[in-house]
Amino acid sequence: MTDEKDKIRRISKMAREQRDRHQEYRLVDDLRKRGVFDETNARLDETMDQLRAESDRYLDAWAKAFLDFHPVTEQRTEGAMEAWAKMGKVDQKAMSAVIQQMIDSRASDPAKRAKLQAAHDRMTDARHRAAVYDGDVDRARPAYYVGPGWTDILDDLVREFAEIDGLGFLAAHEKWGELRIAYLYSGDRQADVDAIVKRAADRCLAACWYCGQAGRMRKERWWRVRCYEHWGAE
C-alpha cells in the first residue's frame, strides 16, 4: 500500500510539473505566432528548444509511468490511454507511440515480463479476497469512508450487489460531495450494476453525510451534502 501511495504522489507531482511546462510552452508559442518576438530571435529559439526537449523527456516518463500502473496487456485499453494522456496533458498519439516502443523493448526480457505479471496477479488476488460478494455488511462497513448518515444507503447497496453473481464491493468514499463506489465485476449485467450504483449515489445527494436526514448539496470551501443543522459541523 505504501509503494502504491508513493507512486500516486510521484505521478501527481509529474502532472503538476507538466501542467506548468505546458502553460509556459503555450504562452511562448502564442506570443511568437502573434509576432511579439522576431522569428530569428536566437534566445527565443533556444527557449523553445529547451521546452520541447523537456516535453519529450516528460512524455517518456509519463509513458513509463503508464506501463508501471498498467503492467499487463488487458489494462492498456484505448480508454485507459486516453484518460492517462488527458491527466498528463500530453498528446495521446505521441504517448501511444512511445508506449509501444517501450513494450517492444520489454518483449526481449521474459524475466521482467514474468515479474510484472506476478505482481499483477498478486494485486488481483488481494482485491478479490478483500471484496464482499455475499452481502455481509459487517465486513463491508470498514471500507465505508463516508459519514454515518450514508451507512444505511451503503448497506442496501452491498446487499443488492450480492444479488448479482460475481459482483464484489470494495470500498466507498466521497468526492466532490458525491458518492463513489469501487467494486469488482466482469459479468454481462453491467447495466444492472450501474443502476444500483446510481440509485445509491442519488440517495446520498439528498441525505446528510452526518445524520442521514434530508440534506442538499452545498458549497463553501468544498462541495458537500449536509442538512441545515450539520452545515457548519466542520
Side-chain angles (χ1 to χ4, degrees):
M1 183 61 71
T2 300
D3 291 342
E4 197 66 22
K5 288 182 178 178
D6 289 341
K7 277 186 178 182
I8 292 172
R9 281 195 292 268
R10 191 164 66 251
I11 294 304
S12 297
K13 181 181 178 183
M14 289 170 61
R16 289 195 299 271
E17 290 174 349
Q18 173 62 1
R19 179 190 60 208
D20 295 340
R21 280 195 288 269
H22 182 73
Q23 291 173 344
E24 183 180 7
Y25 184 96
R26 288 185 59 187
L27 174 62
V28 174
D29 197 41
D30 182 56
L31 291 172
R32 183 184 52 128
K33 288 177 180 178
R34 287 162 50 191
V36 175
F37 295 115
D38 190 330
E39 281 284 340
T40 61
N41 188 305
R43 187 174 178 183
L44 172 62
D45 290 341
E46 181 180 349
T47 300
M48 293 296 290
D49 288 342
Q50 290 174 350
L51 288 170
R52 289 192 183 96
E54 285 183 9
S55 182
D56 289 342
R57 285 194 295 271
Y58 177 80
L59 182 63
D60 287 344
W62 196 247
K64 183 178 184 300
F66 177 84
L67 290 178
D68 287 344
F69 268 72
H70 305 77
V72 295
T73 304
E74 290 76 10
Q75 297 174 328
R76 301 171 197 148
T77 63
E78 281 296 317
M81 287 194 185
E82 181 180 359
W84 197 261
K86 187 178 295 184
M87 182 167 61
K89 296 187 181 299
V90 298
D91 179 80
Q92 183 180 349
K93 293 180 67 174
M95 186 191 75
S96 298
V98 174
I99 287 173
Q100 189 58 54
Q101 292 173 4
M102 290 180 176
I103 291 173
D104 292 342
S105 69
R106 291 181 177 185
S108 60
D109 190 347
K112 188 169 187 177
R113 279 208 318 278
K115 186 177 180 181
L116 288 171
Q117 183 66 54
H120 172 72
D121 291 343
R122 287 195 300 272
M123 178 189 70
T124 301
D125 182 61
R127 285 168 63 85
H128 277 290
R129 282 187 281 108
V132 176
Y133 292 90
D134 58 1
D136 186 344
V137 296
D138 289 331
R139 195 161 74 86
R141 282 176 182 168
Y144 293 0
Y145 303 110
V146 298
W150 289 4
T151 297
D152 288 345
I153 297 173
L154 289 173
D155 284 351
D156 289 343
L157 175 137
V158 170
R159 294 187 186 102
E160 287 188 81
F161 271 16
E163 297 174 5
I164 298 179
D165 290 339
L167 175 57
F169 170 83
L170 281 173
H173 68 280
E174 178 194 56
K175 184 174 183 180
W176 304 113
E178 298 183 2
L179 178 68
R180 296 288 190 272
I181 301 294
Y183 60 85
L184 293 179
Y185 185 64
S186 58
D188 58 2
R189 296 183 58 186
Q190 189 60 52
D192 293 331
V193 177
D194 293 343
I196 295 172
V197 172
K198 185 178 186 306
R199 188 156 52 245
D202 289 346
R203 289 176 64 188
C204 287
L205 285 176
C208 175
W209 191 85
Y210 277 103
C211 65
Q213 298 300 311
R216 65 183 180 88
M217 181 78 78
R218 304 164 184 256
K219 183 182 180 183
E220 193 177 64
R221 287 172 295 174
W222 49 77
W223 291 101
R224 49 196 175 172
V225 180
R226 304 289 187 265
C227 65
Y228 181 79
E229 179 183 352
H230 287 113
W231 175 240
E234 287 80 0

